[in-house]
Amino acid sequence: MKIFSIHISSIVLFFLYLTSCHNSTDRTVIYSRDYGFGEAHDCTPAALKMVEAAKEIPNSKIVIERGTYHFYPDKAYEKFSHITNHDDGLRSTPFPLIDFSGIEIEADSANFIFHGIILPVIIENSKNVKLSGFSIDWEIPLHSEVRVISVDELNHTFDIEISSDTPYELRNKELFFLKEGYEHNLERSICWDPSTMAVAYNTWAVTPLTMQEPATVRFAEAIKYQPDNGLGSWHVGAWYGSRELQNSLKAEELKPGLIRLSGHRKALPKVGNIIVAKGQNGYNRLAPAIHIRNAKDVELKNLTVHHAGGMGLIAERSENITLHHFNVSLREGSGRMLTTTADATHFNNCRGLIRISNCLFENMLDDGTNIHGVYGIVDEIIDKHTIGLKLGHFQQLGFDFARTGDNIGFIEEGDSFFPYFEAEVVSVQKLNKSQFIIEFNEKLDSRLEVGHLMDNLDWYPKVELVNNIVRNNRARGFLLNTHKGGICEGNYFSTMDEAISLHSNFGGYWYEAGIAGELRIRNNVFADCVYGGRERAVINFGSDHSEDEYVFKKISIEENEFRTFDPMILNPEKVDTLIVRNNTISRSESYPLLFGENPVIRINDVNYALISGNSVENYDQYNLIVADSLSIPNLHQQNNNWNND
């Protein structure tokens, strides 16, 4: 009888779902109108009910009608999340796409408006996930923008105007911006130019605003223990986040909405500039738009992120991700300078194919995309097959570095990016968010020492970056550190720093791993990049002074158009094969020169370089190619049109 009642309950539940769902030819469709989705002030409970219904019907589809829908964290699904390159903590979401094997959400140009600290979409431990047709924005953004209205050079102060839709508070002469359940100060700031809607020219001379000066510290030796873990004073779990520092930028209210700032130690901003700030490091990446973790075959199509308190999309340990018309862009009429407060997209230890096509990434506070692995640090050699591993950056705590069967390479920092020893993982024991015990099949190499780096060689993707636009953002366009290589074709770049970064790093601050491998860069337009004030090439190479003979295998740069104001477009180093062919290079004169002493191309440690069929205009006063003694015998030039008339 008990078994019969359970069967009856299951049948009733099944028919209840059928009454609220409509059949299509290939999957069951759940319609938002049947859940009162558009009627509620807070659509979070209705969204959770739709997700719950979809969970009961494999390979189902949620269809959301056109409209504007608001979401609040109060009644959202909640879980503690370690999100790489973000700040850890409890995350609330109306769309927890967790443990799904096939789910599609299709919206008809719906606008999703979020409130407070909330994560719009979590995709975790799932496969075959498709999202399309909606935009993501916040009612009150999690950053702040203020206008510079006057500058006093004599007293080295400047006045800012704060609009009435930006609540603020003065506290002990420090300015705080008040959000929905959140606040931040003027740290991590940068200047925007409203005339160009881009980062202000040479902003590094002005920002970030100098917020801190030494504090008075006494009797510190009485503290016998300090957390190590390679995390330093930025360890979020520590009692102090800015030890030995105090606020130095003083705020004085002249009248409501008019604030005078003093104590800034860099150059003063220009009148009319917009200062964009997101607050203290370690507490300002709390609400990315979409988080993907341990997922496979994810497609995001016709989606727009207008704002997020973090990245537009952050993906970790996932396989095969496709972005098509996935835009991180300003909402028309919003009056904002900024979209996301970090990268538009970011991929950490992913594999398979990452394809990004026909996307617009603009006005972010960081990169268009960053694709890389993660270095773990050997913290202890336990026995001949077992090591203790620790994570190196506070925003990588809890990261899923390795699993059974993964192939790990061991690297000596400062020596080589290529492993001197590889071993297969037998087991992983997670002690806590930063410490792991990993056992290997093979006996550990005798050269292994504490402090050496570990690289998960199995988790790198092939990349296809096609027909995208990256513009008006702080930092860079594409950072491509994957030995699987790929293509970068048909894109448009106009970025504050370099457009493409092929910069392999050892440990350092972020502990980002990987090298570029074979990469084809062709048919792209590079327009006025590197105007922020850092000395970089438009396509910027780097290899952290490794002892490797060559780091990059083959880089082809062909049929691109470079239109930029500073001379240097390429600085290849430690490249086995470099092809620079059929590119057009011209000086735009959009900005004054920053580093006019540089050549157009600077070559170091290149085994074979073919510079062929390129044309250069308006560079008559600059060196075209400068090569070091190692590269000169390997440099082959033919059919170039160095027309400087």
Side-chain angles (χ1 to χ4, degrees):
M1 194 67 177
K2 184 177 180 181
I3 295 176
F4 176 74
S5 65
I6 292 174
H7 288 171
I8 290 294
S9 298
S10 300
I11 293 170
V12 170
L13 179 62
F14 176 74
F15 277 103
L16 282 174
Y17 281 125
L18 288 183
T19 61
S20 62
C21 303
H22 304 260
N23 291 323
S24 65
T25 55
D26 58 345
R27 60 176 64 193
T28 302
V29 179
I30 299 168
Y31 287 93
S32 62
R33 62 174 177 263
D34 296 331
Y35 288 79
F37 191 71
E39 301 170 3
H41 169 70
D42 179 7
C43 292
T44 299
L48 291 175
K49 289 178 182 178
M50 289 191 298
V51 171
E52 184 180 1
K55 196 74 168 287
E56 297 293 329
I57 307 170
N59 202 35
S60 55
K61 178 178 181 178
I62 295 173
V63 173
I64 299 174
E65 297 174 298
R66 182 173 301 189
T68 298
Y69 308 100
H70 289 258
F71 302 88
Y72 297 79
D74 307 71
K75 299 179 181 179
Y77 173 88
E78 189 175 70
K79 71 185 295 287
F80 188 93
S81 292
H82 293 291
I83 304 178
T84 183
N85 293 79
H86 286 75
D87 305 317
D88 296 338
L90 285 172
R91 290 302 193 281
S92 301
T93 182
F95 293 100
L97 306 182
I98 301 171
D99 298 323
F100 272 85
S101 181
I103 175 67
E104 180 176 358
I105 298 179
E106 178 186 277
D108 179 14
S109 300
N111 300 312
F112 292 174
I113 308 297
F114 294 86
H115 296 259
I117 304 302
I118 187 170
L119 203 169
V121 180
I122 294 176
I123 302 171
E124 187 172 321
N125 300 329
S126 296
K127 61 182 180 180
N128 300 323
V129 178
K130 296 182 179 181
L131 306 180
S132 65
F134 58 87
S135 66
I136 292 173
D137 202 355
W138 262 253
E139 179 80 5
I140 297 178
L142 299 173
H143 73 285
S144 298
E145 303 179 7
V146 298
R147 183 181 297 272
V148 178
I149 63 167
S150 66
V151 171
D152 184 342
E153 296 282 358
L154 180 63
N155 295 300
H156 208 72
T157 66
F158 59 98
D159 297 346
I160 59 173
E161 183 180 55
I162 304 177
S163 64
S164 59
D165 62 357
T166 305
Y168 69 88
E169 178 178 330
L170 291 174
R171 193 182 308 153
N172 297 323
K173 295 187 177 182
E174 184 172 3
L175 178 62
F176 290 89
F177 297 96
L178 308 178
K179 308 297 178 179
E180 296 174 303
Y182 176 66
E183 68 177 23
H184 71 82
N185 62 8
L186 274 169
E187 291 186 58
R188 312 296 285 185
S189 52
I190 196 167
C191 284
W192 238 266
D193 185 345
S195 68
T196 62
M197 293 298 292
V199 177
Y201 168 75
N202 201 18
T203 188
W204 288 118
V206 178
T207 54
L209 300 178
T210 50
M211 291 289 299
Q212 296 168 329
E213 62 185 10
T216 300
V217 180
R218 305 291 188 210
F219 313 125
E221 62 275 8
I223 301 174
K224 303 303 182 185
Y225 162 74
Q226 297 286 359
D228 179 18
N229 299 329
L231 306 174
S233 63
W234 285 117
H235 184 192
V236 174
W239 285 105
Y240 25 73
S242 300
R243 184 164 172 212
E244 299 181 357
L245 297 171
Q246 61 184 344
N247 177 54
S248 64
L249 194 66
K250 307 302 182 186
E252 175 190 358
E253 185 177 68
L254 304 181
K255 65 177 184 179
L258 181 61
I259 305 295
R260 176 162 296 166
L261 297 173
S262 60
H264 182 46
R265 296 186 295 279
K266 301 179 79 173
L268 295 175
K270 292 183 178 180
V271 172
N273 276 179
I274 304 297
I275 295 178
V276 173
K278 65 176 181 177
Q280 184 181 353
N281 193 23
Y283 304 91
N284 60 26
R285 292 188 177 191
L286 297 169
I290 299 173
H291 178 215
I292 302 174
R293 179 171 181 163
N294 297 327
K296 182 178 181 180
D297 300 328
V298 177
E299 179 182 307
L300 307 180
K301 182 178 179 182
N302 298 325
L303 295 181
T304 299
V305 177
H306 292 302
H307 175 68
M311 297 175 181
L313 178 145
I314 172 66
E316 51 185 301
R317 184 119 186 160
S318 294
E319 184 173 354
N320 299 333
I321 300 175
T322 299
L323 307 182
H324 183 65
H325 287 290
F326 177 89
N327 300 322
V328 174
S329 62
L330 296 168
R331 179 182 290 279
E332 186 175 353
S334 69
R336 298 176 190 168
M337 295 290 114
L338 196 71
T339 54
T340 58
T341 64
D343 304 0
T345 62
H346 198 112
F347 301 86
N348 201 339
N349 270 44
C350 293
R351 70 180 182 186
L353 174 65
I354 293 176
R355 179 173 173 82
I356 303 176
S357 64
N358 299 94
C359 298
L360 168 61
F361 301 148
E362 66 176 3
N363 292 71
M364 306 83 66
L365 209 50
D366 220 320
D367 310 311
T369 195
N370 190 350
I371 301 171
H372 63 87
V374 168
Y375 285 127
I377 304 169
V378 177
D379 191 49
E380 181 183 3
I381 300 174
I382 297 173
D383 60 37
K384 294 180 179 180
H385 292 266
T386 311
I387 63 97
L389 172 142
K390 68 177 179 180
L391 298 172
H393 192 274
F394 75 95
Q395 288 178 332
Q396 290 170 351
L397 299 178
F399 182 71
D400 192 4
F401 177 81
R403 292 181 182 174
T404 300
D406 285 352
N407 186 38
I408 304 299
F410 292 84
I411 293 169
E412 183 176 354
E413 183 172 358
D415 180 29
S416 173
F417 289 102
F418 301 98
Y420 62 82
F421 170 65
E422 298 179 16
E424 182 182 332
V425 174
V426 172
S427 65
V428 178
Q429 180 184 357
K430 182 177 181 179
L431 299 178
N432 52 48
K433 59 189 175 184
S434 64
Q435 298 278 343
F436 303 79
I437 294 176
I438 303 181
E439 182 185 357
F440 296 94
N441 264 333
E442 294 78 6
K443 181 181 177 181
L444 297 175
D445 193 285
S446 60
R447 292 170 289 178
L448 182 64
E449 296 180 6
V450 170
H452 285 189
L453 302 177
M454 299 168 60
D455 188 6
N456 193 327
L457 304 177
D458 288 345
W459 285 87
Y460 284 95
K462 181 179 180 182
V463 298
E464 294 180 4
L465 309 169
V466 181
N467 298 333
N468 305 290
I469 297 173
V470 187
R471 66 189 183 194
N472 301 348
N473 63 301
R474 174 197 169 273
R476 299 142 297 202
F478 295 153
L479 287 79
L480 307 176
N481 289 330
T482 170
H483 61 262
K484 298 287 186 180
I487 62 171
C488 178
E489 181 174 13
N491 304 287
Y492 173 91
F493 300 92
S494 182
T495 55
M496 174 189 130
D497 287 334
E498 62 264 42
I500 297 176
S501 176
L502 308 177
H503 196 125
S504 296
N505 299 282
F506 286 118
Y509 182 66
W510 279 105
Y511 288 86
E512 293 180 355
I515 57 176
E518 292 194 20
L519 185 65
R520 290 181 294 164
I521 302 172
R522 67 187 185 192
N523 293 321
N524 302 284
V525 174
F526 300 91
D528 285 326
C529 300
V530 203
Y531 52 81
R534 298 192 195 191
E535 188 174 4
R536 307 281 176 85
V538 174
I539 300 177
N540 197 68
F541 291 72
S543 57
D544 268 14
H545 308 292
S546 74
E547 297 299 319
D548 295 306
E549 188 173 15
Y550 306 111
V551 173
F552 307 103
K553 186 175 182 181
K554 182 178 181 181
I555 308 295
S556 301
I557 302 169
E558 303 180 83
E559 300 178 0
N560 301 283
E561 180 180 355
F562 294 87
R563 303 192 308 263
T564 192
F565 68 100
D566 244 18
M568 192 161 61
I569 64 165
L570 302 174
N571 62 343
E573 65 174 55
K574 292 188 180 293
V575 182
D576 184 41
T577 301
L578 174 70
I579 308 294
V580 182
R581 183 163 48 200
N582 299 334
N583 300 283
T584 61
I585 305 163
S586 61
R587 185 163 175 248
S588 70
E589 300 184 355
S590 299
Y591 300 104
L593 287 167
L594 284 169
F595 303 101
E597 68 280 4
N598 284 326
V600 176
I601 301 175
R602 185 189 301 278
I603 298 175
N604 290 295
D605 295 347
V606 173
N607 183 46
Y608 174 84
L610 174 63
I611 314 293
S612 172
N614 302 285
S615 65
V616 176
E617 297 180 357
N618 300 328
Y619 277 92
D620 51 305
Q621 69 270 49
Y622 306 109
N623 291 318
L624 295 175
I625 300 177
V626 172
D628 68 339
S629 58
L630 294 174
S631 304
I632 288 175
N634 308 322
L635 176 59
H636 306 274
Q637 300 185 61
Q638 60 188 39
N639 301 323
N640 294 295
N641 178 18
W642 301 143
N643 178 15
N644 292 312
D645 298 332

